[in-house]
Amino acid sequence: MSRLWMAVLLAGFSQLSSAATISYSALQGRWRVEGVQVDNSGIQAVVVNDPQYMGAEVTFFPRKIIWTKGTKERAIDPVMDNCTSPPTLTPADRNDPEKGYQVPDGFNVLCGKQPWGPGAVVTVPTNNTMTLYWYDGAILAMKKTG
């Protein structure tokens, strides 16, 4: 397992008590996809370290979320990928009505009152790393770059 994935996993475990107090401002900045894992749903169009996401970048601004860099394999779809309403976070726990969004210590990212993208979930950023659960079962290891 790569160091980045170990850092992401350990970050989640070390933040159990503080996860309930995360605010959207903790996400602000530019994040780059450093690794891709795949969930176990059996329905996905991604592979481990999928080139359609590796190196892509997303910026969490105070009042919007914009994918600022796509990849050769996957261009940014501004309508589906970006959020132009004020983002907020809600717990993505066992009370979430959609099982796919039940991520221990995770947070749903809302764009206004609607889910961002496919219904994104993030983990608490620690040591400039976080996990973003995204389209088609992709679990993106994100590294803060700015």
Side-chain angles (χ1 to χ4, degrees):
M1 184 178 290
S2 75
R3 284 186 184 179
L4 179 63
W5 282 110
M6 287 298 288
V8 168
L9 291 173
L10 292 173
F13 291 123
S14 68
Q15 293 296 317
L16 292 176
S17 62
S18 64
T21 61
I22 186 176
S23 73
Y24 173 77
S25 64
L27 303 180
Q28 290 178 16
R30 186 175 54 238
W31 296 81
R32 182 179 56 241
V33 177
E34 296 282 315
V36 180
Q37 293 295 318
V38 182
D39 74 11
N40 61 2
S41 68
I43 303 173
Q44 62 267 341
V46 295
V47 297
V48 172
N49 292 331
D50 199 313
Q52 68 179 319
Y53 289 108
M54 294 296 292
E57 293 181 356
V58 62
T59 302
F60 292 83
F61 293 97
R63 300 190 51 81
K64 63 185 176 183
I65 304 169
I66 306 293
W67 283 90
T68 50
K69 179 182 174 191
T71 65
K72 180 179 170 185
E73 291 78 9
R74 184 179 185 281
I76 297 166
D77 179 351
V79 174
M80 298 296 293
D81 295 341
N82 294 339
C83 170
T84 56
S85 296
T88 57
L89 303 176
T90 62
D93 58 18
R94 68 179 193 273
N95 296 317
D96 200 300
E98 295 206 35
K99 187 173 170 106
Y101 301 128
Q102 295 176 1
V103 175
D105 303 311
F107 293 86
N108 297 300
V109 182
L110 301 179
C111 182
K113 297 194 182 287
Q114 301 299 316
W116 170 44
V121 174
V122 296
T123 59
V124 176
T126 303
N127 297 325
N128 292 321
T129 63
M130 74 171 172
T131 304
L132 171 61
Y133 294 77
W134 194 241
Y135 284 110
D136 298 323
I139 303 170
L140 309 177
M142 309 294 290
K143 179 80 173 164
K144 193 168 192 178
T145 61

